[in-house]
């Protein structure tokens, strides 16, 4: 059996491996293909594809992206969900322009959040973030990493659950795409929209079904069923949802390098295997 990984992050967003390093690692892991699905950016896709060419396409790099969306559970309650996009045109102008605008808005938000933390005495600054991580899409993972390195928190998990949590007084909300606009953007750039890790949003079964009613009406094509954080009957439940809503399934590790050290490329927490036959869903 040959295997793939359709959910992978590089240091273009909140991973720790470069796109080129991921190609080398993917070959080492004997993967047939992987998709680079960085958060709200596609800047690492072309470098990864060019690196794969150096190995005579021993591994296939599938264009991917993971778009952050604000889904309204009720008129007064929202949750962040993630929309994966695959096989889009990497030169599509609307896609590139939209992601650049998202990056600018995120930078402004990051600067405000850094100032809030700095004013409260935490050892962090926006300038230090940029110097430490360079030209990348800064996320809370970068905040947590720098705070840990500077002795401001005992662990990254601690940072996420305290000063970086959405309930923290230092937290700054950001602007999000709507699920419909994300699906439209992916499809208009020639891509295929897939809902990422549907069970991570902590919705009830009825809320998940209501969400899928909406998303499928917008053009959702697939759902991520094989996933590193699945437990017990999670995969079977998502496969059942896929059948009910006529969605194909995908799978991926959500690899982030040392930012999620328990997750291995192509193997998740040890027993994840995404069969190559699922690539047919993306053709």
């Amino acid at each position: 059996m040959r295997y793939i990984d359709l959910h992978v992050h590089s240091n273009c967003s909140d991973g720790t491996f470069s796109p080129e390093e991921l190609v080398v690692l993917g070959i080492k892991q004997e993967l047939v293909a992987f998709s680079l699905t960085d958060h709200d950016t596609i800047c690492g896709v072309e470098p990864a594809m060019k690196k794969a060419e150096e190995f005579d396409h021993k591994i296939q790099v599938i264009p991917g992206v993971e778009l952050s969306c604000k889904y309204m559970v009720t008129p007064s309650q929202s949750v962040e969900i993630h929309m994966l996009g695959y096989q889009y045109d990497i030169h599509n102008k609307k896609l590139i322009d939209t992601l650049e605008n998202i990056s600018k808005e995120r930078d402004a938000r990051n600067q405000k959040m850094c100032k809030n933390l700095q004013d409260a005495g935490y050892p962090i600054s926006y300038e230090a973030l940029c110097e430490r991580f360079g030209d990348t899409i800064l996320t809370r993972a970068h905040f947590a990493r720098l705070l840990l390195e500077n002795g401001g928190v005992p662990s990254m998990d601690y940072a996420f659950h305290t000063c970086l949590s959405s309930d923290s007084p230092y937290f700054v909300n950001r602007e999000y795409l709507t699920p419909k606009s994300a699906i439209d953007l992916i499809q208009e750039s020639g891509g295929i929209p897939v809902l990422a890790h549907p069970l991570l949003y902590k919705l009830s079964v009825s809320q998940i079904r209501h969400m899928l009613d909406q998303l499928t009406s917008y053009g959702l094509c697939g759902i991520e069923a094989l996933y590193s954080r699945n437990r017990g009957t999670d995969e079977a439940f998502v496969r059942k949802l896929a059948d009910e809503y006529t969605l194909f399934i995908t799978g991926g590790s959500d690899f982030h390098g040392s930012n999620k050290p328990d997750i291995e490329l192509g193997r998740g927490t040890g027993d994840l295997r995404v069969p190559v036959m699922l690539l047919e869903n993306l053709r």
Side-chain angles (χ1 to χ4, degrees):
M1 179 74 75
R2 299 184 301 165
Y3 299 102
I4 60 176
D5 192 336
L6 298 178
H7 194 155
V8 179
H9 295 275
S10 77
N11 61 6
C12 291
S13 63
D14 56 349
T16 57
F17 283 70
S18 72
E20 295 87 351
E21 289 170 335
L22 287 171
V23 172
V24 176
L25 181 59
I27 292 172
K28 181 180 177 182
Q29 298 289 69
E30 300 183 339
L31 294 178
V32 176
F34 77 92
S35 182
L36 185 56
T37 54
D38 278 316
H39 294 285
D40 303 317
T41 181
I42 63 171
C43 69
V45 172
E46 194 164 15
M49 294 173 77
K50 288 181 178 178
K51 186 66 175 178
E53 290 176 5
E54 295 179 17
F55 292 92
D56 196 26
H57 299 285
K58 189 174 182 181
I59 189 170
Q60 180 185 0
V61 176
I62 299 163
V65 68
E66 186 172 12
L67 300 177
S68 303
C69 308
K70 183 178 182 180
Y71 170 70
M72 300 305 299
V73 183
T74 69
S76 60
Q77 178 193 356
S78 66
V79 64
E80 180 180 337
I81 67 171
H82 292 171
M83 195 66 59
L84 294 162
Y86 296 108
Q87 299 287 33
Y88 50 78
D89 173 7
I90 64 173
H91 301 297
N92 181 270
K93 186 177 186 305
K94 183 176 180 180
L95 177 62
I96 292 169
D97 289 347
T98 301
L99 295 180
E100 284 181 354
N101 289 335
I102 289 173
S103 177
K104 290 175 183 176
E105 185 277 326
R106 190 193 289 261
D107 280 345
R109 175 255 195 172
N110 285 339
Q111 291 183 49
K112 292 176 185 176
M113 198 160 161
C114 270
K115 187 174 188 310
N116 290 347
L117 290 163
Q118 198 173 19
D119 289 347
Y122 285 92
I124 194 170
S125 70
Y126 184 72
E127 293 73 23
L129 270 174
C130 293
E131 182 179 351
R132 170 65 177 82
F133 298 109
D135 185 19
T136 189
I137 300 294
L138 293 172
T139 68
R140 283 187 294 168
H142 298 100
F143 280 67
R145 173 68 64 183
L146 187 61
L147 286 169
L148 177 63
E149 292 175 356
N150 290 346
V153 294
S155 70
M156 290 181 64
D157 278 347
Y158 179 88
F160 279 118
H161 288 100
T162 57
C163 60
L164 299 181
S165 77
S166 58
D167 298 325
S168 163
Y170 320 119
F171 186 81
V172 177
N173 287 314
R174 50 170 291 205
E175 296 296 321
Y176 287 94
L177 294 170
T178 65
K180 185 178 187 307
S181 62
I183 288 172
D184 287 346
L185 180 65
I186 292 166
Q187 291 184 322
E188 288 169 11
S189 60
I192 304 166
V194 172
L195 179 65
H197 41 60
L199 302 186
L200 288 195
Y201 310 129
K202 302 190 185 310
L203 300 175
S204 68
V205 173
S206 63
Q207 288 172 333
I208 291 173
R209 292 183 188 282
H210 186 258
M211 176 175 66
L212 289 176
D213 284 336
Q214 290 190 38
L215 298 184
T216 52
S217 74
Y218 301 150
L220 183 72
C221 296
I223 191 167
E224 190 172 46
L226 287 74
Y227 185 67
S228 291
R229 300 299 189 201
N230 281 349
R231 297 293 180 269
T233 60
D234 286 352
E235 182 183 324
F237 174 64
V238 178
R239 283 179 176 272
K240 184 172 183 292
L241 289 173
D243 287 341
E244 289 180 18
Y245 287 89
T246 320
L247 299 169
F248 63 72
I249 64 167
T250 66
S253 65
D254 205 358
F255 179 75
H256 282 71
S258 61
N259 283 339
K260 291 186 178 180
D262 63 320
I263 293 178
E264 191 176 358
L265 180 67
R267 297 174 185 173
T269 54
D271 58 357
L272 179 75
R273 294 293 186 274
V274 182
V276 69
M277 67 186 69
L278 293 190
L279 274 185
E280 293 301 319
N281 295 329
L282 302 183
R283 292 190 171 124

